[in-house]
């Protein structure tokens, strides 16, 4: 029998409706499971059991009256700590930020509350979200449930770890270069980085998206019904569309007749590890057997594009850090200070040239993908790495060598999902990225779900170490 903390949101909602389960007993089970896991993976911020149970009791009362508040009423959930929640400080993963209570819920948090979700905790992130790891000067070091010597990825570090460990079924992260998909890949879960503006977020920024982190495409589709509702605070949001998110399940036949590009070389950054390449090739063969046409793709990214984005972000962070008082600036992770300060001598021409790479990346990605219905690739060239390291290279002057497959779809505003497609011999998960045309978020969910139906058997979720 599936443990309560492992039940998907769809099953919980059905059980609440039939009065077979109560939000209180489910929340209690999730909290007990977190208590067993949390000393080992440190995924949460503001874990408040009594507040979660109060929300669960209110939800239980609504279900008993037959008046659920919304689609997610009573479902345990977490929210990444850089998504503001009213009354709570937003440290952005760093000891350098002054802890000021947020005046209001940011749009994703507001939608979850309006839908009745039980917010169990916020989840951790690295300093300013600038690392693909769980290394932070504010939070304890977050670790990967599949192997606690490894990191969960980032910057949605705690969200990835929480989803894999069973801290309830629904989690929200953010992504500006891969920060949803990388931890999803390395923690063996599902995530969707939607088209830019599909989920309103505040503050908005070029390439920045919030999205679901779940164990299945089905639960992500359920979250999209809630998270994609409009919010005027996002000046970059898309016009609201009443998308039929519940139609995510078109079966494995959804793959039949599709022309799918297979990208095995990002064109920049780290080489793809053999086990990662083999897993993605196996996934492609399964899709082909289900009726898709798989076409190898040449890389469209270049090292100059990746380096340009890196250098522009260095200058942005350098300016931000220089604006801090010295005492606060000294609290920022040394790796990030070294990275940002390396931009100090850049000329205006160099900064402009670096910034232009964002547009060149966008144009190249859209052009390369236009010949296909969808594009599949590794999420990352590597699997989860040592938890204590800030990045796979551990080099502040080569910090983004692992995001060549993910970052172009932030800049092109295309939806892209991560879905588990296998494991290394050591048992670490490997993620398959599925990218679609801009605005085709539902199609990406459908293709991801179709792949879930045909992929190799999944391993049991990791369990907390024995006490």
């Amino acid at each position: 029998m599936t443990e309560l903390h492992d039940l998907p949101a769809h099953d919980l909602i059905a059980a609440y409706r039939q009065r077979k389960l109560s939000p209180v007993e489910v929340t209690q089970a999730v909290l007990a499971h977190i208590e067993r896991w949390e000393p080992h993976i440190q995924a949460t911020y503001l874990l408040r059991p009594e507040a979660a149970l109060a929300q669960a009791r209110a939800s239980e009362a609504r279900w008993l009256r037959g008046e659920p508040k919304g689609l997610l009423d009573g479902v345990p959930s977490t929210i990444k700590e850089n998504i503001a929640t009213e009354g709570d400080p937003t440290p952005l993963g760093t000891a350098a930020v002054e802890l000021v209570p947020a005046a209001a819920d940011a749009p994703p948090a507001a939608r979850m509350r309006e839908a009745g979700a039980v917010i169990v905790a916020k989840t951790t992130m690295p300093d300013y979200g600038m690392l693909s790891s769980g290394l932070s000067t504010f939070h304890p070091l977050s670790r990967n449930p599949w192997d606690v010597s490894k990191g969960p990825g980032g910057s949605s570090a705690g969200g990835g770890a929480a989803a894999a460990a069973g801290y309830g079924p629904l989690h929200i992260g953010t992504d500006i270069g891969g920060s949803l998909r990388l931890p999803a890949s390395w923690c063996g879960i599902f995530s969707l980085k939607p088209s830019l503006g599909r989920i309103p977020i505040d503050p908005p920024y070029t390439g920045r998206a919030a999205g679901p982190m779940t164990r299945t495409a089905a639960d992500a589709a359920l979250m999209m019904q809630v998270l994609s509702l409009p919010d005027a605070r996002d000046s970059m949001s898309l016009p609201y569309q009443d998308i039929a998110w519940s139609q995510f399940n078109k079966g494995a036949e959804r793959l039949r007749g599709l022309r799918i590009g297979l990208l095995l070389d990002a064109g920049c950054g780290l080489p793809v590890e053999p086990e990662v390449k083999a897993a993605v090739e196996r996934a492609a063969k399964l899709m082909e057997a289900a009726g898709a046409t798989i076409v190898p793709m040449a890389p469209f990214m270049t090292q100059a594009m990746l380096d340009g984005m890196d250098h522009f972000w260095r200058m942005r962070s350098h300016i931000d850090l220089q604006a801090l008082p010295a005492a606060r600036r000294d609290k920022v992770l040394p790796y990030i200070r070294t990275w940002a300060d390396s931009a100090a001598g850049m000329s205006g021409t160099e900064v402009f040239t670096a910034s232009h790479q964002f547009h060149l990346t966008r144009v190249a990605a859209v052009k390369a993908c236009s010949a296909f219905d969808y594009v599949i690739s590794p999420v990352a060239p590597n699997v989860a790495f040592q938890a204590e390291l800030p990045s796979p290279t551990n080099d502040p002057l080569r910090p983004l060598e692992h995001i060549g497959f993910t970052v172009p779809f932030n800049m092109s505003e295309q939806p892209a999902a991560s879905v588990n497609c296998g494991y290394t011999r050591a048992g670490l998960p490997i993620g398959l990225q599925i990218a679609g045309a801009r605005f085709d978020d539902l199609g990406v969910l459908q293709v991801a779900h179709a792949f879930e139906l045909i992929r190799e058997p999944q391993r049991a979720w990791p369990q907390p170490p024995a006490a």
Side-chain angles (χ1 to χ4, degrees), residues 336-384:
I336 290 177
R337 292 205 311 269
T338 300
W339 170 73
D341 290 346
S342 68
M346 289 178 68
S347 68
T349 299
E350 288 172 323
V351 174
F352 172 79
T353 301
S355 70
H356 188 50
Q357 302 306 311
F358 290 92
H359 182 66
L360 293 179
T361 298
R362 178 193 184 101
V363 171
V366 172
K367 182 179 179 181
C369 296
S370 64
F372 306 101
D373 297 305
Y374 299 93
V375 169
I376 60 173
S377 72
V379 172
N382 57 301
V383 294

Side-chain angles (χ1 to χ4, degrees), residues 219-234:
D219 273 356
L222 183 64
M223 290 183 78
M224 289 301 294
Q225 293 185 59
V226 170
L227 296 175
S228 62
L229 293 172
D231 195 300
R233 289 175 287 174
D234 186 349

Side-chain angles (χ1 to χ4, degrees), residues 183-273:
S185 174
W186 295 333
C187 291
I189 64 166
F190 180 85
S191 76
L192 173 68
K193 182 208 73 66
S195 299
L196 185 73
R198 179 67 72 203
I199 294 176
I201 194 169
D202 184 30
Y205 188 81
T206 301
R208 184 174 189 241
M213 305 182 79
T214 59
R215 288 182 170 182
T216 64
D219 273 356
L222 183 64
M223 290 183 78
M224 289 301 294
Q225 293 185 59
V226 170
L227 296 175
S228 62
L229 293 172
D231 195 300
R233 289 175 287 174
D234 186 349
S235 59
M236 300 171 73
S237 63
L238 297 173
Y240 174 69
Q241 287 181 268
D242 186 14
I243 294 171
W245 299 107
S246 61
Q247 301 301 308
F248 68 91
N249 183 4
K250 294 297 181 179
E253 55 268 25
R254 179 66 172 83
L255 297 168
R256 189 174 301 131
L258 293 181
R259 179 178 168 86
I260 297 178
L262 173 61
L263 183 67
L264 292 172
D265 179 0
C268 57
L270 296 171
V272 177
E273 294 176 354

Side-chain angles (χ1 to χ4, degrees), residues 96-107:
V97 167
E98 293 182 317
L99 299 180
V100 179
D105 285 337

Side-chain angles (χ1 to χ4, degrees), residues 43-380:
T44 66
Y45 167 60
L46 299 180
L47 174 63
R48 292 177 289 208
E50 287 308 315
L53 287 169
Q55 295 172 63
R57 286 190 286 270
S59 174
E60 180 182 65
R62 291 191 293 269
W63 279 108
L64 289 173
R65 294 196 305 269
E67 300 174 354
K69 188 176 182 180
L71 284 174
L72 308 180
D73 206 340
V75 180
S77 310
T78 74
I79 299 174
K80 187 176 178 181
E81 68 102 316
N82 66 340
I83 297 172
T85 46
E86 183 179 359
D88 298 324
T90 309
L92 304 179
T94 178
V97 167
E98 293 182 317
L99 299 180
V100 179
D105 285 337
R111 300 297 86 77
M112 295 295 281
R113 288 198 207 273
E114 290 161 4
V118 173
I119 310 303
V120 175
K122 305 289 287 287
T123 51
T124 61
M125 60 184 284
D127 284 52
Y128 296 107
M130 293 309 301
L131 301 175
S132 293
S133 79
L135 187 60
S136 164
T137 56
F138 182 83
H139 302 295
L141 178 63
S142 298
R143 296 178 179 273
N144 193 318
W146 291 92
D147 179 346
V148 295
S149 74
K150 309 296 184 184
S155 64
S156 303
Y167 289 18
L170 305 181
H171 312 270
I172 307 176
T174 61
D175 188 317
I176 201 170
S179 291
L180 281 162
R181 290 156 288 161
L182 293 165
S185 174
W186 295 333
C187 291
I189 64 166
F190 180 85
S191 76
L192 173 68
K193 182 208 73 66
S195 299
L196 185 73
R198 179 67 72 203
I199 294 176
I201 194 169
D202 184 30
Y205 188 81
T206 301
R208 184 174 189 241
M213 305 182 79
T214 59
R215 288 182 170 182
T216 64
D219 273 356
L222 183 64
M223 290 183 78
M224 289 301 294
Q225 293 185 59
V226 170
L227 296 175
S228 62
L229 293 172
D231 195 300
R233 289 175 287 174
D234 186 349
S235 59
M236 300 171 73
S237 63
L238 297 173
Y240 174 69
Q241 287 181 268
D242 186 14
I243 294 171
W245 299 107
S246 61
Q247 301 301 308
F248 68 91
N249 183 4
K250 294 297 181 179
E253 55 268 25
R254 179 66 172 83
L255 297 168
R256 189 174 301 131
L258 293 181
R259 179 178 168 86
I260 297 178
L262 173 61
L263 183 67
L264 292 172
D265 179 0
C268 57
L270 296 171
V272 177
E273 294 176 354
E275 288 185 289
V276 173
K277 181 181 179 183
V280 172
E281 288 176 329
R282 289 195 301 272
K285 289 179 180 177
L286 289 170
M287 288 182 163
E288 189 172 46
T293 298
I294 305 297
V295 182
M297 288 178 67
F300 57 85
M301 280 283 287
T302 67
Q303 192 66 41
M305 292 174 185
L306 186 63
D307 289 346
M309 289 186 276
D310 173 19
H311 293 161
F312 180 83
W313 281 331
R314 292 186 201 196
M315 179 56 78
R316 183 194 69 174
S317 294
H318 174 67
I319 292 170
D320 288 345
L321 296 186
Q322 288 303 114
L324 295 176
R328 285 171 54 197
R329 186 166 61 247
D330 289 345
K331 294 180 180 180
V332 177
L333 194 73
Y335 179 98
I336 290 177
R337 292 205 311 269
T338 300
W339 170 73
D341 290 346
S342 68
M346 289 178 68
S347 68
T349 299
E350 288 172 323
V351 174
F352 172 79
T353 301
S355 70
H356 188 50
Q357 302 306 311
F358 290 92
H359 182 66
L360 293 179
T361 298
R362 178 193 184 101
V363 171
V366 172
K367 182 179 179 181
C369 296
S370 64
F372 306 101
D373 297 305
Y374 299 93
V375 169
I376 60 173
S377 72
V379 172

